[in-house]
Amino acid sequence: MISYSTLALLALTATALAAPTPTTPEDPSTTAAARANTHTIVAALGGSLTFSPDNVQAEIGDVVEWHFLAANHSVAQSDFANPCVPLDDYASSASPSGFFPGFEFVTTPGTQASNVFQITITDSSPIWYYCPQGKHCQAGMSGVINQRYGEGDATLAQYKRNSVGSVTVIPDEVVGEAIANPNPLGGF
Ligand SMILES: [Cu+2]
């Protein structure tokens, strides 16, 4: 036999089950909080032989996107020890491993090239790069992503000093691809 108190408990349970779902939003997940960022680097801002900014800290999963102003610049990966030289160009490797999207960024004064170049950061190692046009690298047109700041670590300032006496090597192979500028109306 079901007592009155049991029936009351069942009714309470039914009420609780029928309660509306909470409408307050859940806390954002850590995945959403760690959403990837895009870091924009501009080549030849103000006509200078520079990348701006030339020293970027990026998280794994972030995108680094180079934009190019006049007249004809590009970007090639190197390493710290061999400034202005493509990564692996000096080694016996059969194929280059550093990025170089080619000279796909020619543009006229006052405009930015219709193409950009992107990489996605996959680890925390420093990435050194330079402009392989003419003697731009010797003039300081180089940069680093995720430079380390410990005692004795390689610095961009030292890379640029070492560049002065180096000879620029244009990569003999395109590695990576220029893409259409996803934000052509963005100014700098
Ligand atoms: Cu250049």
Side-chain angles (χ1 to χ4, degrees), residues 46-151:
S48 62
L49 294 179
T50 60
F51 291 99
S52 304
D54 59 4
N55 196 330
V56 167
Q57 294 291 315
E59 302 289 332
I60 292 171
D62 284 359
V63 170
V64 176
E65 182 176 281
W66 284 268
H67 292 243
F68 297 87
L69 302 183
N72 187 0
H73 305 279
S74 187
V75 59
Q77 189 176 0
S78 69
D79 65 12
F80 175 77
N82 300 274
C84 315
V85 173
L87 193 64
D88 277 3
D89 189 77
Y90 54 90
S92 57
S93 169
S95 60
S97 58
F99 55 75
F100 170 58
F103 287 101
E104 302 293 331
F105 311 100
V106 181
T107 192
T108 55
T111 66
Q112 69 164 305
S114 55
N115 287 335
V116 302
F117 180 59
Q118 291 183 343
I119 64 169
T120 300
I121 303 303
T122 56
D123 63 48
S124 60
S125 304
I127 297 171
W128 304 91
Y129 63 88
Y130 67 100
C131 177
Q133 176 67 261
K135 293 189 173 181
H136 295 189
C137 182
Q138 285 73 28
M141 197 167 190
S142 55
V144 65
I145 302 161
N146 291 338
Q147 176 183 312
R148 291 179 177 145
Y149 289 92
E151 183 90 24

